Amino acid sequence: APAPQAAASPALPKTSSSPRAFPLTSSRGLERHPALSPDGQKLAYVSNEAGATFDLYVKDVDSPTALRLTTSAASVCCPAWSPDQRSLAFLRLVGNEAVLLTMPALGGAEKRLTTVSPWFGSGLSFSPDGRLIAVLDIDSDEPAAFDTADAAGLEAILAHVFGGTPGAPVRD
């Protein structure tokens, strides 16, 4: 596999104590799916600056340089940081499937976890202890397409993973 490559971006301004919007990246291509690390010091995102497909990049928010982590013929999306910030989860898009992968946050070998098929749009999130990765997948690119059958399926999965009975009232 090719070595990760760096891409330039602007540094984080440190002149104001008031919240304000400013760019963290400035690649030649499109940039999507930003994900700040739990401590707010690193940014993971995908960009097509190196070609037709979207690759995964990570950078310190106060540095102009980004590290390119993936170099695949298939686009990636939806990066998510592990709670300990040592790894990233992301999806590689292959046809109408999405392959869920993890890799070290500063580059290294990818680990394939599972395939979501068919795939129409997702988001990823680690559990607080880092043992589970939630994958949101809907039946179309229209959010309104999430219907009661989807809700029942999600409820059954959550009950199986975390215990409990689908349809049972949730206690605080």
Side-chain angles (χ1 to χ4, degrees):
Q5 299 171 1
S9 62
L12 178 66
K14 295 183 179 185
T15 59
S16 174
S17 60
S18 301
R20 62 189 179 106
F22 51 87
L24 290 175
T25 61
S26 62
S27 71
R28 295 180 307 266
L30 296 173
E31 299 156 328
R32 296 183 176 162
H33 307 284
L36 281 171
S37 61
D39 69 1
Q41 297 303 305
K42 294 192 183 307
L43 176 71
Y45 63 97
V46 300
S47 174
N48 67 350
E49 77 172 61
T53 61
F54 284 84
D55 285 307
L56 179 61
Y57 292 80
V58 68
K59 67 179 292 298
D60 291 329
V61 295
D62 61 354
S63 171
T65 304
L67 181 65
R68 183 177 173 193
L69 299 179
T70 61
T71 56
S72 172
S75 287
V76 300
C77 79
C78 314
W81 289 90
S82 64
D84 66 6
Q85 304 180 148
R86 292 175 38 201
S87 63
L88 288 162
F90 60 97
L91 295 168
R92 175 160 291 122
L93 312 177
V94 183
N96 69 341
E97 295 182 339
V99 179
L100 176 61
L101 302 131
T102 59
M103 73 182 309
L106 296 178
E110 296 176 1
K111 179 180 178 185
R112 182 186 177 119
L113 301 180
T114 192
T115 299
V116 179
S117 177
W119 179 83
F120 295 103
S122 295
L124 302 177
S125 182
F126 276 86
S127 62
D129 65 6
R131 291 180 37 227
L132 301 171
I133 301 172
V135 179
L136 173 64
D137 188 39
I138 57 177
D139 286 338
S140 88
D141 58 2
E142 297 295 324
F146 188 84
D147 60 18
T148 54
D150 295 316
L154 177 59
E155 184 178 36
I157 291 168
L158 294 174
H160 175 74
V161 171
F162 296 107
T165 305
V170 176
R171 288 183 242 153
D172 292 337

